[in-house]
Amino acid sequence: AKIKVGVNGYGTIGKRVATAVSKQDDMEVIGITKTRPTFEAKTAAAAGLPIYVPAESIPAFEKAGIAVAGTVDDMIAAADVIVDCTPGNVGPEYKEKYQKAGKKAIFQGGEEHGLTGVSFNSTANYKDSWGMQFSRVVSCNTTGLLRTLSLLDKAYKIQNAYVTIVRRAADPGDSKTGPVNGLEPSVSLPTHHGVDVKSVLPWIDITTMAIKASTTLMHIQAVVVKLGKEVSTDEVLDLFAKAPRVRLVSSKDGIKSTNQVMELARELGRDRSDMYEICIWSDGVKVVGDTLYYYQAVHQEADVIPENVDCIRSMCKLMEGPESVAKTNKALGIDH
Ligand code: NAD
């Protein structure tokens, strides 16, 4: 039987998780939750997704002519796994509900690691969530860092890593955050991103800083890593070229900036023009002695989506990590 997945919170991440899960042959979306009858509730209904709402919201949905399948509690009861995509810090209140119903649940990076005690990344620690009732898929930035740092650590043993993150100010569909014209340094140092990497790979010595920039498309991470041995730039490029969910791009091919990375994503014709892979500029990778420098771009709306699918398989003990990564990739049109 297919794993029954309920998606709680149908925003930037939730709607993408619902689409990605519905493309797998070993799991199905049994419902999503919406609190208000917005255009997204209408597109979800048009896509055939059963919509569950808080009891007090039923009249508003009926008035808007959107069919309601039941309450949020009904969806929790019907699911094997709930992927909780509610805004950060809403998770704790739902965790109690999932616990009471005896259901498995995945939380997102806006929640604290302590909520679940285990955090997830497909390449770095797939097996840590094996059979677990609760796990947490780390944030978009942390997912990006783990994709490449976990491989570098395995191959060359990382001595330390310093990362500067230039963060997007808001998601493209958002109008509530900024800055809309400026650069805003995160002054509380070091930023939480490095700490979050350690929630998955505790032994990595990493420090991060971040600057919010007036862009919505992607984050860029400028990474400096001291490796345990001297290697050539070509060797590192070869490692990145073979890495799962990592894509090499080149300014020589006309990809000089994040807007061109997203133009490539549109050309690939994926759902919502998503770039699931972490994009590394091949001509911006350089090793000097034992120190490696590179830039990578993170599509914040998309990179955690395949990880949520893999996390479901790990928690339900469906298959090993590399098999799950390959299966998810195939279903989502990711090359490797
Ligand atoms: P969002 O605001 O786009 O979506 C959240 C959804 O939850 C909305 O549909 C909202 O109506 C709904 N919601 C709000 N309160 C609710 C409640 N009490 N019960 C049920 N539904 C409720 O948020 P998002 O960007 O999708 O973020 C969701 C989570 O994913 C957060 O933990 C966030 O940190 C994490 N995350 C976000 C991004 C990103 O760049 N957007 C990337 C990675 C991880």
mmCIF file of all heavy atoms in Angstrom, residues 31-63:
data_model
loop_
_atom_site.group_PDB
_atom_site.id
_atom_site.type_symbol
_atom_site.label_atom_id
_atom_site.label_comp_id
_atom_site.label_asym_id
_atom_site.label_seq_id
_atom_site.Cartn_x
_atom_site.Cartn_y
_atom_site.Cartn_z
ATOM 1 N N GLY A 31 -4.407 14.640 1.595
ATOM 2 C CA GLY A 31 -5.049 15.916 1.865
ATOM 3 C C GLY A 31 -4.053 17.008 2.197
ATOM 4 O O GLY A 31 -2.885 16.734 2.483
ATOM 5 N N ILE A 32 -4.528 18.237 2.083
ATOM 6 C CA ILE A 32 -3.733 19.405 2.487
ATOM 7 C C ILE A 32 -4.622 20.252 3.395
ATOM 8 O O ILE A 32 -5.844 20.101 3.368
ATOM 9 C CB ILE A 32 -3.267 20.230 1.266
ATOM 10 C CG1 ILE A 32 -4.467 20.788 0.466
ATOM 11 C CG2 ILE A 32 -2.402 19.403 0.338
ATOM 12 C CD1 ILE A 32 -4.517 22.269 0.403
ATOM 13 N N THR A 33 -4.006 21.132 4.178
ATOM 14 C CA THR A 33 -4.834 22.021 4.993
ATOM 15 C C THR A 33 -4.697 23.467 4.524
ATOM 16 O O THR A 33 -3.633 23.880 4.052
ATOM 17 C CB THR A 33 -4.430 21.983 6.490
ATOM 18 O OG1 THR A 33 -3.117 22.555 6.628
ATOM 19 C CG2 THR A 33 -4.438 20.574 7.030
ATOM 20 N N LYS A 34 -5.779 24.179 4.612
ATOM 21 C CA LYS A 34 -5.778 25.622 4.332
ATOM 22 C C LYS A 34 -6.599 26.283 5.422
ATOM 23 O O LYS A 34 -7.573 25.708 5.917
ATOM 24 C CB LYS A 34 -6.445 25.905 2.981
ATOM 25 C CG LYS A 34 -5.593 25.777 1.738
ATOM 26 C CD LYS A 34 -4.357 26.654 1.706
ATOM 27 C CE LYS A 34 -4.604 28.142 1.611
ATOM 28 N NZ LYS A 34 -3.333 28.905 1.722
ATOM 29 N N THR A 35 -6.175 27.494 5.820
ATOM 30 C CA THR A 35 -6.960 28.194 6.845
ATOM 31 C C THR A 35 -7.953 29.174 6.215
ATOM 32 O O THR A 35 -8.990 29.474 6.782
ATOM 33 C CB THR A 35 -6.036 28.964 7.819
ATOM 34 O OG1 THR A 35 -5.094 29.716 7.059
ATOM 35 C CG2 THR A 35 -5.292 28.008 8.736
ATOM 36 N N ARG A 36 -7.610 29.666 5.013
ATOM 37 C CA ARG A 36 -8.488 30.633 4.349
ATOM 38 C C ARG A 36 -8.736 30.223 2.892
ATOM 39 O O ARG A 36 -7.855 29.629 2.265
ATOM 40 C CB ARG A 36 -7.880 32.034 4.406
ATOM 41 C CG ARG A 36 -8.023 32.695 5.793
ATOM 42 C CD ARG A 36 -7.203 33.963 5.908
ATOM 43 N NE ARG A 36 -5.790 33.693 5.705
ATOM 44 C CZ ARG A 36 -5.020 34.314 4.820
ATOM 45 N NH1 ARG A 36 -5.509 35.270 4.076
ATOM 46 N NH2 ARG A 36 -3.751 33.991 4.702
ATOM 47 N N PRO A 37 -9.902 30.589 2.324
ATOM 48 C CA PRO A 37 -10.227 30.175 0.953
ATOM 49 C C PRO A 37 -9.575 31.079 -0.109
ATOM 50 O O PRO A 37 -10.251 31.735 -0.897
ATOM 51 C CB PRO A 37 -11.752 30.293 0.905
ATOM 52 C CG PRO A 37 -12.078 31.361 1.885
ATOM 53 C CD PRO A 37 -11.031 31.305 2.969
ATOM 54 N N THR A 38 -8.249 31.090 -0.132
ATOM 55 C CA THR A 38 -7.515 31.954 -1.056
ATOM 56 C C THR A 38 -7.401 31.308 -2.437
ATOM 57 O O THR A 38 -7.854 30.195 -2.656
ATOM 58 C CB THR A 38 -6.088 32.166 -0.538
ATOM 59 O OG1 THR A 38 -5.485 30.877 -0.426
ATOM 60 C CG2 THR A 38 -6.074 32.843 0.817
ATOM 61 N N PHE A 39 -6.707 32.000 -3.347
ATOM 62 C CA PHE A 39 -6.499 31.440 -4.696
ATOM 63 C C PHE A 39 -5.758 30.108 -4.637
ATOM 64 O O PHE A 39 -5.979 29.227 -5.466
ATOM 65 C CB PHE A 39 -5.754 32.438 -5.601
ATOM 66 C CG PHE A 39 -4.296 32.661 -5.241
ATOM 67 C CD1 PHE A 39 -3.298 31.955 -5.896
ATOM 68 C CD2 PHE A 39 -3.934 33.574 -4.259
ATOM 69 C CE1 PHE A 39 -1.954 32.148 -5.588
ATOM 70 C CE2 PHE A 39 -2.592 33.772 -3.938
ATOM 71 C CZ PHE A 39 -1.601 33.060 -4.592
ATOM 72 N N GLU A 40 -4.883 29.960 -3.618
ATOM 73 C CA GLU A 40 -4.152 28.686 -3.509
ATOM 74 C C GLU A 40 -5.083 27.549 -3.107
ATOM 75 O O GLU A 40 -4.870 26.401 -3.506
ATOM 76 C CB GLU A 40 -2.991 28.814 -2.513
ATOM 77 C CG GLU A 40 -1.769 29.470 -3.144
ATOM 78 C CD GLU A 40 -0.776 29.986 -2.126
ATOM 79 O OE1 GLU A 40 -1.207 30.420 -1.041
ATOM 80 O OE2 GLU A 40 0.426 29.971 -2.439
ATOM 81 N N ALA A 41 -6.116 27.856 -2.320
ATOM 82 C CA ALA A 41 -7.112 26.829 -1.984
ATOM 83 C C ALA A 41 -7.838 26.418 -3.263
ATOM 84 O O ALA A 41 -8.123 25.237 -3.487
ATOM 85 C CB ALA A 41 -8.100 27.367 -0.952
ATOM 86 N N LYS A 42 -8.077 27.407 -4.116
ATOM 87 C CA LYS A 42 -8.786 27.108 -5.373
ATOM 88 C C LYS A 42 -7.915 26.291 -6.327
ATOM 89 O O LYS A 42 -8.400 25.346 -6.958
ATOM 90 C CB LYS A 42 -9.249 28.415 -6.043
ATOM 91 C CG LYS A 42 -10.386 29.052 -5.258
ATOM 92 C CD LYS A 42 -10.802 30.411 -5.781
ATOM 93 C CE LYS A 42 -11.813 31.021 -4.802
ATOM 94 N NZ LYS A 42 -11.941 32.463 -4.929
ATOM 95 N N THR A 43 -6.617 26.620 -6.427
ATOM 96 C CA THR A 43 -5.756 25.844 -7.332
ATOM 97 C C THR A 43 -5.538 24.430 -6.770
ATOM 98 O O THR A 43 -5.438 23.470 -7.533
ATOM 99 C CB THR A 43 -4.406 26.545 -7.605
ATOM 100 O OG1 THR A 43 -3.801 26.901 -6.351
ATOM 101 C CG2 THR A 43 -4.575 27.796 -8.440
ATOM 102 N N ALA A 44 -5.492 24.309 -5.438
ATOM 103 C CA ALA A 44 -5.353 22.979 -4.836
ATOM 104 C C ALA A 44 -6.592 22.139 -5.141
ATOM 105 O O ALA A 44 -6.489 20.960 -5.510
ATOM 106 C CB ALA A 44 -5.148 23.090 -3.323
ATOM 107 N N ALA A 45 -7.765 22.759 -5.013
ATOM 108 C CA ALA A 45 -9.014 22.047 -5.306
ATOM 109 C C ALA A 45 -9.035 21.631 -6.784
ATOM 110 O O ALA A 45 -9.386 20.498 -7.114
ATOM 111 C CB ALA A 45 -10.215 22.934 -4.977
ATOM 112 N N ALA A 46 -8.600 22.539 -7.650
ATOM 113 C CA ALA A 46 -8.583 22.229 -9.085
ATOM 114 C C ALA A 46 -7.612 21.091 -9.394
ATOM 115 O O ALA A 46 -7.815 20.324 -10.336
ATOM 116 C CB ALA A 46 -8.204 23.482 -9.883
ATOM 117 N N ALA A 47 -6.549 20.961 -8.578
ATOM 118 C CA ALA A 47 -5.580 19.877 -8.774
ATOM 119 C C ALA A 47 -6.086 18.564 -8.177
ATOM 120 O O ALA A 47 -5.401 17.540 -8.234
ATOM 121 C CB ALA A 47 -4.238 20.259 -8.158
ATOM 122 N N GLY A 48 -7.271 18.603 -7.595
ATOM 123 C CA GLY A 48 -7.872 17.375 -7.062
ATOM 124 C C GLY A 48 -7.406 17.012 -5.662
ATOM 125 O O GLY A 48 -7.604 15.885 -5.210
ATOM 126 N N LEU A 49 -6.779 17.954 -4.963
ATOM 127 C CA LEU A 49 -6.295 17.662 -3.608
ATOM 128 C C LEU A 49 -7.430 17.869 -2.598
ATOM 129 O O LEU A 49 -8.033 18.948 -2.556
ATOM 130 C CB LEU A 49 -5.127 18.588 -3.253
ATOM 131 C CG LEU A 49 -3.837 18.388 -4.060
ATOM 132 C CD1 LEU A 49 -2.854 19.524 -3.778
ATOM 133 C CD2 LEU A 49 -3.197 17.046 -3.736
ATOM 134 N N PRO A 50 -7.729 16.875 -1.765
ATOM 135 C CA PRO A 50 -8.730 17.071 -0.708
ATOM 136 C C PRO A 50 -8.262 18.162 0.268
ATOM 137 O O PRO A 50 -7.110 18.150 0.706
ATOM 138 C CB PRO A 50 -8.793 15.709 -0.016
ATOM 139 C CG PRO A 50 -8.248 14.730 -1.016
ATOM 140 C CD PRO A 50 -7.210 15.497 -1.790
ATOM 141 N N ILE A 51 -9.160 19.095 0.581
ATOM 142 C CA ILE A 51 -8.795 20.221 1.439
ATOM 143 C C ILE A 51 -9.437 20.092 2.818
ATOM 144 O O ILE A 51 -10.657 19.949 2.930
ATOM 145 C CB ILE A 51 -9.217 21.556 0.783
ATOM 146 C CG1 ILE A 51 -8.499 21.684 -0.566
ATOM 147 C CG2 ILE A 51 -8.895 22.748 1.680
ATOM 148 C CD1 ILE A 51 -8.911 22.894 -1.360
ATOM 149 N N TYR A 52 -8.590 20.109 3.836
ATOM 150 C CA TYR A 52 -9.048 20.038 5.231
ATOM 151 C C TYR A 52 -8.832 21.408 5.860
ATOM 152 O O TYR A 52 -7.819 22.068 5.591
ATOM 153 C CB TYR A 52 -8.269 18.960 5.977
ATOM 154 C CG TYR A 52 -8.569 17.556 5.489
ATOM 155 C CD1 TYR A 52 -7.921 17.025 4.372
ATOM 156 C CD2 TYR A 52 -9.510 16.770 6.152
ATOM 157 C CE1 TYR A 52 -8.207 15.730 3.925
ATOM 158 C CE2 TYR A 52 -9.795 15.481 5.715
ATOM 159 C CZ TYR A 52 -9.143 14.966 4.605
ATOM 160 O OH TYR A 52 -9.425 13.699 4.170
ATOM 161 N N VAL A 53 -9.763 21.838 6.699
ATOM 162 C CA VAL A 53 -9.680 23.196 7.259
ATOM 163 C C VAL A 53 -10.009 23.169 8.752
ATOM 164 O O VAL A 53 -10.671 22.236 9.223
ATOM 165 C CB VAL A 53 -10.636 24.173 6.507
ATOM 166 C CG1 VAL A 53 -10.448 24.078 5.000
ATOM 167 C CG2 VAL A 53 -12.086 23.922 6.858
ATOM 168 N N PRO A 54 -9.571 24.203 9.501
ATOM 169 C CA PRO A 54 -9.990 24.292 10.901
ATOM 170 C C PRO A 54 -11.525 24.394 10.948
ATOM 171 O O PRO A 54 -12.117 25.039 10.070
ATOM 172 C CB PRO A 54 -9.353 25.584 11.399
ATOM 173 C CG PRO A 54 -8.264 25.903 10.418
ATOM 174 C CD PRO A 54 -8.695 25.328 9.111
ATOM 175 N N ALA A 55 -12.157 23.765 11.967
ATOM 176 C CA ALA A 55 -13.630 23.714 12.036
ATOM 177 C C ALA A 55 -14.258 25.097 11.841
ATOM 178 O O ALA A 55 -15.242 25.248 11.109
ATOM 179 C CB ALA A 55 -14.053 23.105 13.366
ATOM 180 N N GLU A 56 -13.605 26.128 12.442
ATOM 181 C CA GLU A 56 -14.208 27.464 12.376
ATOM 182 C C GLU A 56 -14.117 28.086 10.979
ATOM 183 O O GLU A 56 -14.781 29.069 10.678
ATOM 184 C CB GLU A 56 -13.595 28.395 13.436
ATOM 185 C CG GLU A 56 -12.106 28.697 13.293
ATOM 186 C CD GLU A 56 -11.211 27.651 13.964
ATOM 187 O OE1 GLU A 56 -11.701 26.544 14.287
ATOM 188 O OE2 GLU A 56 -10.009 27.937 14.142
ATOM 189 N N SER A 57 -13.295 27.506 10.094
ATOM 190 C CA SER A 57 -13.145 28.065 8.743
ATOM 191 C C SER A 57 -14.115 27.450 7.735
ATOM 192 O O SER A 57 -14.211 27.912 6.595
ATOM 193 C CB SER A 57 -11.721 27.839 8.224
ATOM 194 O OG SER A 57 -10.781 28.421 9.092
ATOM 195 N N ILE A 58 -14.835 26.400 8.142
ATOM 196 C CA ILE A 58 -15.719 25.698 7.186
ATOM 197 C C ILE A 58 -16.722 26.644 6.504
ATOM 198 O O ILE A 58 -16.837 26.619 5.270
ATOM 199 C CB ILE A 58 -16.426 24.487 7.859
ATOM 200 C CG1 ILE A 58 -15.367 23.420 8.205
ATOM 201 C CG2 ILE A 58 -17.498 23.886 6.939
ATOM 202 C CD1 ILE A 58 -15.892 22.221 8.977
ATOM 203 N N PRO A 59 -17.416 27.530 7.257
ATOM 204 C CA PRO A 59 -18.380 28.419 6.591
ATOM 205 C C PRO A 59 -17.746 29.297 5.505
ATOM 206 O O PRO A 59 -18.337 29.471 4.433
ATOM 207 C CB PRO A 59 -18.918 29.289 7.740
ATOM 208 C CG PRO A 59 -18.668 28.491 8.976
ATOM 209 C CD PRO A 59 -17.434 27.706 8.723
ATOM 210 N N ALA A 60 -16.531 29.796 5.762
ATOM 211 C CA ALA A 60 -15.865 30.668 4.768
ATOM 212 C C ALA A 60 -15.576 29.899 3.478
ATOM 213 O O ALA A 60 -15.724 30.435 2.371
ATOM 214 C CB ALA A 60 -14.568 31.225 5.354
ATOM 215 N N PHE A 61 -15.158 28.632 3.619
ATOM 216 C CA PHE A 61 -14.886 27.820 2.426
ATOM 217 C C PHE A 61 -16.186 27.504 1.686
ATOM 218 O O PHE A 61 -16.224 27.539 0.457
ATOM 219 C CB PHE A 61 -14.144 26.526 2.812
ATOM 220 C CG PHE A 61 -12.665 26.728 2.999
ATOM 221 C CD1 PHE A 61 -12.161 27.302 4.159
ATOM 222 C CD2 PHE A 61 -11.760 26.381 1.998
ATOM 223 C CE1 PHE A 61 -10.804 27.511 4.334
ATOM 224 C CE2 PHE A 61 -10.400 26.578 2.165
ATOM 225 C CZ PHE A 61 -9.919 27.145 3.331
ATOM 226 N N GLU A 62 -17.241 27.212 2.454
ATOM 227 C CA GLU A 62 -18.531 26.917 1.811
ATOM 228 C C GLU A 62 -19.016 28.130 1.041
ATOM 229 O O GLU A 62 -19.465 28.019 -0.095
ATOM 230 C CB GLU A 62 -19.558 26.490 2.868
ATOM 231 C CG GLU A 62 -19.380 25.013 3.229
ATOM 232 C CD GLU A 62 -20.276 24.553 4.374
ATOM 233 O OE1 GLU A 62 -20.917 25.422 5.030
ATOM 234 O OE2 GLU A 62 -20.307 23.327 4.613
ATOM 235 N N LYS A 63 -18.835 29.312 1.658
ATOM 236 C CA LYS A 63 -19.268 30.553 1.013
ATOM 237 C C LYS A 63 -18.491 30.776 -0.289
ATOM 238 O O LYS A 63 -19.028 31.285 -1.272
ATOM 239 C CB LYS A 63 -19.042 31.715 1.987
ATOM 240 C CG LYS A 63 -19.933 32.902 1.712
ATOM 241 C CD LYS A 63 -19.880 33.936 2.826
ATOM 242 C CE LYS A 63 -20.206 35.300 2.255
ATOM 243 N NZ LYS A 63 -19.581 36.373 3.033
#
